[in-house]
Amino acid sequence: MSTTTDVPHLGPPPEEQGSPEGPKGPERVVSFRPRAILVAVGVVLAVAAAVAFIFMAQAGLTLIAISLFLALALNPAVEYFQGRGMGRGAAVGSVYFVAVAVFALLGLVFVPPLVKQVGNFIDATPGLVADLTRGHGALGFLETKYHVVEHVRKATAGKGGDSLTAGAAPALSVVKGVATTLLGVVIIAFLTLFMLLEGPEWRERTVELVPERQRAPAERVGAGIYRSVGGFVTGNLLASLLAGVVATVIMLATGVPYAIPLGLFVAIIELVPFIGPLVATVLVTSVALTQSPLTAVIAFGLLITYHAIEGHSVRPMIYGRALQLSPLAVLIAILLGTEIAGILGALAAIPVAGSIQVIAGEVLERRREQVLGG
């Protein structure tokens, strides 16, 4: 007894293929719908346009990112006063006034010595360069062994213009830099204020754009992103400020020159996890080496000790509680962010990674509920 089984096949029937016997085996026909092709092309164009926009508007996006970080850092204090019965506007005004007063006080305390030490550094630069050129001083070995001065001269040869232009360019550059910085500070101050005032309204409007059946998951994702990013920003700012103060105290105690501007730089660069402490330690040790090898050893040992204590207490608490990211994920995020947008990208990489983790967790949770419900 034998049975005959029809072999399913895709494509036109045998009579349309010109063969009465039909195909010898199953065929697979892959077809693309015009709508799917248009969607794919649209996604590619949208991504390309977004990348181009980021590169074109990098300066403005930098100001917005800094303002957003400051707003996220100040918002917990605003919510604290709101919880005590104050309105949103009054709470924002109080916190903003205190923040401006603190920054103004820090400016009055640190700006005069900062300007003085920067001026001293500019005045001392010719002597340092001369000692380095002759192979003298604590850094003279860079010339005697590695001929750094010759390499720098070769790299910069032929790039200068006439003497008048070459002399005026640094002054114009300094004036332009100061004006740009002051304008940026004013813009950041207003952006931060309006973000604090209008943040809840923008969040509500964004949630209203989501369909009703997707609104609850969207609100959970938004709350999770806010907790993770806000906790990271606040904790990281405090930890970096503490690192700058500690580095300044160490440099003042050991006699390292230009302690205040270097301490300010340390506070800024320490915002970048892992990479920041390394750069700060190398820089401070290098400057201390211009005084004496013993000063460099003492400064290096104190900074290493502080970073070891901080790395096992403050930073793990920030990354663990706020973001719950593994060290590997943090390092990968920093490397990618640095490659894309430099220091700002490295600073924003970890909050972005934390946000992606929150979204991925919500997606996995919904799939798990669907599997259990099915």
Side-chain angles (χ1 to χ4, degrees), residues 115-129 258:
V115 173
K116 181 180 178 180
Q117 292 192 10
V118 170
N120 293 338
F121 175 75
I122 294 175
D123 294 337
T125 299
L128 296 175
V129 174
Y258 320 116

Side-chain angles (χ1 to χ4, degrees), residues 2 14 32 40-41 43 53 59 83 95 114 127 130 154-155 232 243 251 259 274 277 288 290 313 334 352 355 373:
S2 62
F32 296 97
V41 173
V43 170
F53 174 76
V95 173
L114 175 64
K154 291 179 181 179
F232 167 78
M251 287 184 285
F274 296 116
T290 61
S313 57
I334 292 174
V352 170
S355 302

Side-chain angles (χ1 to χ4, degrees), residues 8-238:
H9 64 275
L10 299 177
E15 58 273 11
E16 294 183 5
Q17 298 179 350
S19 174
E21 297 178 358
K24 296 182 179 180
E27 294 182 356
R28 185 180 299 274
V29 177
V30 179
S31 60
F32 296 97
R33 295 181 179 178
R35 182 179 179 183
I37 296 175
L38 292 177
V39 169
V41 173
V43 170
V44 173
L45 292 177
V47 171
V51 173
F53 174 76
I54 290 174
F55 279 103
M56 293 174 60
Q58 190 170 6
L61 292 176
T62 300
L63 297 178
I64 294 173
I66 295 174
S67 304
L68 180 60
F69 272 55
L70 293 176
L72 288 172
L74 295 175
N75 194 59
V78 173
E79 292 182 344
Y80 172 81
F81 285 111
Q82 279 189 283
R84 297 299 182 273
M86 294 181 64
R88 179 76 184 182
V92 170
S94 302
V95 173
Y96 195 79
F97 175 79
V98 172
V100 171
V102 170
F103 278 110
L105 181 61
L106 292 176
L108 292 175
V109 173
F110 288 106
V111 167
L114 175 64
V115 173
K116 181 180 178 180
Q117 292 192 10
V118 170
N120 293 338
F121 175 75
I122 294 175
D123 294 337
T125 299
L128 296 175
V129 174
D131 289 340
L132 179 60
T133 303
R134 293 192 296 266
H136 298 163
L139 299 178
F141 70 94
L142 294 175
E143 170 61 19
T144 57
K145 289 186 177 181
Y146 304 106
H147 307 291
V148 173
V149 176
E150 283 75 6
H151 291 305
V152 172
R153 286 175 178 171
K154 291 179 181 179
T156 57
K159 293 184 179 180
D162 57 87
S163 59
L164 180 61
T165 304
L172 293 176
S173 177
V174 170
V175 172
K176 181 180 178 181
V178 171
T180 302
T181 301
L182 292 177
L183 180 60
V185 170
V186 173
I187 293 174
I188 288 172
F190 279 100
L191 281 175
T192 303
L193 175 61
F194 290 130
M195 286 181 180
L196 287 172
L197 288 172
E198 301 182 10
E201 296 180 5
W202 280 64
R203 184 173 58 188
E204 293 177 0
R205 294 171 186 171
T206 303
V207 171
E208 289 177 357
L209 296 176
V210 180
E212 184 68 30
R213 58 187 181 87
Q214 302 289 341
R215 192 164 296 176
E219 291 179 349
R220 288 197 300 268
V221 170
I225 292 175
Y226 170 74
R227 285 194 303 269
S228 61
V229 176
F232 167 78
V233 170
T234 303
N236 204 30
L237 284 174
L238 294 177

